[in-house]
Amino acid sequence: MEIPTIDLSVEESVATVELLTALETVGFATLVNHGVPLTLIDKAFVASKNFFALPLAIKNEYIFQGHESNRGYIAPGSETHDLEKDCLPDPKETFDIGKENEPGYSNHWPEELADSSFRDDLTCYFRTMDDLYLRLMKMIGVGLKLPDPDFFVKQCNDQHENLRLLHYHALPPDHPNK
């Protein structure tokens, strides 16, 4: 099955029908012409690369604060896909941030990257992706012909959410996860 591509620059009603069809059939789609500047995407990838290039001892200073806050660093092997089965730990490492100035929660930005645009780039990327997310929620509400087309936007906007940076380490050819 081919992954649908949704062009968000076309007429909104056309894109909405295509998005709903993709979600009802395949369950996901590739979005193009979504308005997120490639330069911002590139900056987010550079910020991610810069964080994961830090020594483990430094990354561990920003350790995951818990599931309530969903912020901080998670070392490789700390998570698994399925707690019910005898699965190997996931070899990825992550760094999670949330909305800035969210009441009761705070991001712990690496001091080691303070001279770079790490914080600004990721904060801008987070806000931009959140705007796109809310646009898609509105399109779904309209497409489903809900009495209140903003239903999903109201459920999702200003909610506790996060952005997860991921780094997958190369695995040796004989690794069981390959």
Side-chain angles (χ1 to χ4, degrees):
M1 178 178 288
E2 189 171 319
I3 298 172
T5 298
I6 312 300
D7 185 344
L8 293 181
S9 68
V10 301
E11 184 180 328
E12 190 94 356
S13 62
V14 172
T16 297
V17 168
E18 291 176 354
L19 177 63
L20 280 181
T21 301
L23 295 175
E24 291 170 346
T25 56
V26 179
F28 55 91
T30 299
L31 303 177
V32 297
N33 299 318
H34 41 65
V36 179
L38 183 57
T39 54
L40 181 57
I41 295 168
D42 290 341
K43 287 178 180 181
F45 274 98
V46 168
S48 179
K49 184 177 181 178
N50 289 342
F51 177 79
F52 292 118
L54 293 170
L56 182 60
I58 291 175
K59 291 184 282 193
N60 278 331
E61 292 177 21
Y62 303 97
I63 203 75
F64 191 69
Q65 301 169 38
H67 295 290
E68 186 175 316
S69 74
N70 259 352
R71 288 166 165 82
Y73 173 69
I74 299 175
S78 299
E79 294 182 319
T80 185
H81 290 291
D82 191 343
L83 297 175
E84 299 295 319
K85 296 180 182 173
D86 188 22
C87 290
L88 291 173
D90 203 352
K92 73 178 182 314
E93 59 183 331
T94 71
F95 184 69
D96 297 350
I97 63 167
K99 286 185 179 180
E100 285 286 89
N101 305 314
E102 184 177 6
Y105 305 103
S106 62
N107 294 311
H108 294 282
W109 299 103
E111 294 174 18
E112 296 76 10
L113 298 174
D115 291 341
S116 72
S117 57
F118 180 81
R119 179 180 184 162
D120 291 342
D121 290 344
L122 287 180
T123 301
C124 183
Y125 181 76
F126 185 97
R127 280 194 316 266
T128 303
M129 296 307 290
D130 190 54
D131 290 345
L132 175 58
Y133 161 64
L134 294 174
R135 179 179 171 200
L136 296 171
M137 292 298 101
K138 169 79 174 211
M139 290 172 67
I140 293 169
V142 168
L144 293 175
K145 298 179 176 64
L146 297 178
D148 179 3
D150 287 322
F151 174 80
F152 292 117
V153 173
K154 291 174 184 174
Q155 300 302 310
C156 300
N157 194 22
D158 291 327
Q159 298 300 313
H160 181 65
E161 58 196 33
N162 70 325
L163 169 68
R164 173 168 268 200
L165 306 180
L166 293 162
H167 178 229
Y168 288 88
H169 297 271
L171 297 175
D174 61 343
H175 192 278
N177 280 0
K178 274 204 150 183

